[in-house]
């Protein structure tokens, strides 16, 4: 039985998407902030069913709210 109802291919795809968004969008924003921050992302089950653009928009929004 797949973990959480998703195959390893699905989990890896989500992980690669989140890593890419972090590299392109989140980390550059954190680098410009004067405070040292750690940023941990835990994907919910719903994240498997949204587009890359939706993931990107949500992570960018959360990052801006934290800063």
């Amino acid at each position: 039985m797949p973990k959480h109802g998703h195959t390893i291919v699905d989990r890896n795809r989500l992980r690669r998407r989140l890593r890419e968004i972090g590299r392109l969008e989140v980390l550059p924003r954190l680098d410009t902030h004067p405070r040292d921050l750690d940023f941990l992302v835990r994907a919910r089950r719903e994240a498997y069913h949204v587009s890359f653009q939706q993931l990107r928009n949500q992570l960018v929004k959360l990052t801006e709210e934290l800063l």
Side-chain angles (χ1 to χ4, degrees):
M1 175 110 182
K3 185 176 182 180
H4 302 295
H6 297 282
T7 66
I8 189 68
V9 173
D10 294 334
R11 291 192 306 275
N12 285 339
R13 181 182 302 120
L14 178 60
R15 188 182 75 231
R16 285 191 309 267
R17 286 177 172 186
L18 292 172
R19 187 177 292 151
E20 184 70 2
I21 294 166
R23 183 179 72 82
L24 294 175
E25 303 288 342
V26 176
L27 290 177
R29 285 176 169 78
L30 293 178
D31 285 343
T32 62
H33 201 270
R35 295 186 310 185
D36 288 334
L37 298 173
D38 291 329
F39 200 84
L40 173 68
V41 176
R42 285 195 69 191
R44 299 176 66 169
R45 290 181 186 204
E46 298 85 19
Y48 287 97
H49 304 290
V50 298
S51 70
F52 182 85
Q53 191 62 38
Q54 289 171 312
L55 283 174
R56 182 194 163 281
N57 292 343
Q58 289 178 2
L59 279 175
V60 167
K61 179 181 173 190
L62 288 171
T63 304
E64 294 299 326
E65 289 175 4
L66 288 174
L67 301 177

